[in-house]
Amino acid sequence: MSKSTQEEISNKFAEAELYKTHGLIKEASDVYHSLLEQLGKNDAAIISEINNLLSELDEPSQGLTHFSKQKEKASKTDPAEETQHRFETGVGLMDAGFPAEALKELLGLLGNKHFSESTLHIKIGECYLSLNDEFKAIEHFEKARDSKVLDRGIERLEVLDRLALAYENIGAFPAAIKALEEIVKINPKFRNAKKHLKHLSQSAQKFGRFYHLIQEKHLKVEDLEKAIQVAKEKGKPVDAVLMSDFNIDKHELGQSLSDYYDCPFLEFNELEMLPTPSCIKGIKEKFFRANNCVPVSEDNGKLVIAADNPFDMVKTDNIRSVFKSADVRFAVALKDDIDKFIDFFYGKYSVEQSSDDLFDQLELVEEQEDDKLDEYDTAIHAEGVVVQLVNKIIEDAIKSKASDIHIETLSGNNGTVVRFRTDGDCKQYRIIPYQYKRAVVSRIKILARLDISERRLPQDGKIKFKTRTRRTIELRVATLPTASGYEDVVLRVLTDTKAMPLEKMGFSEHNFALAKKMLEMPYGLILVVGPTGSGKTTTLHAALGQVNRPEKKIWTVEDPVEIIQDGLRQIQVQPGIDLTFEKVLKAFLRADPDIIMVGETRDEETAKTVIEASLTGHLVLTTLHTNSAPETITRLLGMGIESYSFADSLIGVIAQRLIKRLCPNCKEAYKPEKEEKNMIIEEFGAHPISPLTLLSFNKITLYKPKGCKKCHNSGYSGRLAIHEVLTVDDAVKQLVERRTTVSEIRSQALQSGMFTLKQDGIQKVILGETDFKQVRAACIK
């Protein structure tokens, strides 16, 4: 056995004895077992000794009894010796990685006349530092610093060094500078104090690690001062308070830390995790917890270690002493991310730890197709992590007003990405650990009554349930097979089961008047058009709500029936039994309707039947997937529709898009420059009735996104619709009959008072409801 191996075994025995002395039996046992794994057949004598020691630890109470006996023995000795023993016990617990237990022991010695108060305050301050309570740590370090017995020796340097670190962590940079200046006066070489002082005084310009935030105007000086006060009151790190209470983006905070510490900023991301560094093996997890650091990668002897404060020389020296042979390089990370790295490497990272309120249960009350709710008036039992996790995903999607939930399973040992589509954009919600990814998909398929054994074909279904407040929620579920035998799931969230009033659909006054006039017609065809997700169904139901009166018989055929209205007779198509739009629509004509709504006109046969119904004395409303109102006319003509009957039946077309609305809480007013005015006028284009000119623009105030807590710092909150309302007059009818071009129809529609989608959007920019960036992203013309 080599000398180094003997030394390592000796150190392990000492570590186990320390744990045993403090009553930490499991920790002592773990050390002995790790030694047994390292030993071979030639170490029979050592193995026998370890087995004997393990047998003594069989009864958990033995360790506590041993600890009690140690204290009892100490209590019979001289009071000064007893105090010294208790102090050493506290220090031992601290060294072993149990700062909370050490703190309890050391606090019990305060006021004891047999021990130096300054030394005690130093150790208590270090405990609080390990527990990330810098404010309490400062309180005790200051008491030690101000003690009359503390000289200008090493102990004072230690106190000043810890004080400077704690001051820096809470953002009290002038105080940190003052402490460092005193160290430099006593010993400039102590722990790079001179270099640290220069960096803090000059580069950071008194704002330290938050200088980047101040410089880039992400944070005001007065807000930093408020954050420090809030952190003190809540007992939380300033970093955490800045993100939670002052809307500081994590990446911006990371950039600020990276600039200050002159090293990379690391963030935990399960998808980007490399294999566990081999150097971690054999090192106690508590070492990394106590020092707020963890190795994250190693390559050719170069070891990258994430630490919460790479300037803390005590921590970095401890780390270098453990990884003696490695070329250690430091990166900075937030404590929460360091804990996740440690959990991941030690096999503890799981969904249970990813959110404090993960297991808030959403009360699901399943509804059968025949709506016999009384038999299902009890909550689904949440047995296990997966059930609770799926409930939590759904609940958070509803809280964040998401329109869709995307569950994307990744190959191999990677997890599952969950993204929410909110206000039209997909945003990552969380990553589910890989051990749950198949189970999560299976759980959703069970709720949607799909075949969980079929993973090769797409499936679709629905989940219907009630929340605790008895609000009905419906999810449309679609599963799609992906590579490596996995499946993705997309859930459409349908929360608005009642029709919205037409006046709340975001029409401008001009367009609202045109839409109302169209709905007053006794018969004819009204088309609502736009891409998927543009709110066509919502507009159709709002229109039906406008004409839904007792004297009117209204039939609808939809796929699916998303919005329920009293007074409407609603049918859902079922292709499986050949109940198609065309068949239902023909049946409607024999059912004495006044108004018919067809969820979507998908083919030539349905289009012909819709036009026939509108010509036989019925008001018909339907949707089509086209980009603009004039294009809709040419698209239907291109399907082979007879132009004369189409021209006679068509009342009008409403094209629409959904764009982001500026957050009303934080949108910022500004006066546009001449260049911006000219650009918007050019984009608005010519309009024969209501042109936009530079003169009319001069008194206009525009708004831009800023970002606040209510809008999650995006500057936008919710969406609004922009419309293009084309009404068919005699001039337009003649163009339809002649099967003319899109540009000619658009030109005549503008003469008749239509505004294009972009023009309606620009009008809403001028009203301060959105900005031009959103309009340009949604419209071509």
Side-chain angles (χ1 to χ4, degrees), residues 400 422-425 427 659-668 703-720 765 768-775 777:
S400 62
T422 307
D423 293 341
D425 291 338
K427 297 175 183 176
I659 61 176
K660 291 182 182 180
R661 185 191 298 272
L662 285 170
C663 174
N665 186 61
C666 67
K667 64 181 181 181
E668 194 171 24
Y703 292 84
K704 59 184 177 181
K706 182 181 179 184
C708 66
K709 190 174 184 180
K710 288 187 178 180
C711 64
H712 304 291
N713 217 35
S714 67
Y716 301 95
S717 179
R719 289 191 287 177
L720 66 102
V765 170
E769 295 177 350
T770 186
D771 62 2
F772 185 67
K773 177 183 176 184
Q774 301 304 318
V775 175

Side-chain angles (χ1 to χ4, degrees), residues 459-491:
Q459 298 184 67
D460 60 86
K462 68 177 180 179
I463 305 170
K464 201 171 185 179
F465 56 86
K466 290 183 182 290
T467 65
R468 298 186 187 94
T469 58
R470 315 307 296 167
R471 179 186 179 191
T472 299
I473 305 291
E474 188 170 312
L475 302 176
R476 297 290 170 174
V477 181
T479 68
L480 297 96
T482 58
S484 306
Y486 293 107
E487 289 176 282
D488 278 14
V489 182
V490 179
L491 300 94

Side-chain angles (χ1 to χ4, degrees), residues 24 62 64 145 206 239 276-277 386 397 466 543 634 663 665 718 775:
L24 303 169
Q62 282 189 13
L64 294 172
R145 179 198 62 192
K206 91 174 182 177
D239 299 344
T276 303
V386 173
K466 290 183 182 290
T634 57
C663 174
N665 186 61
V775 175

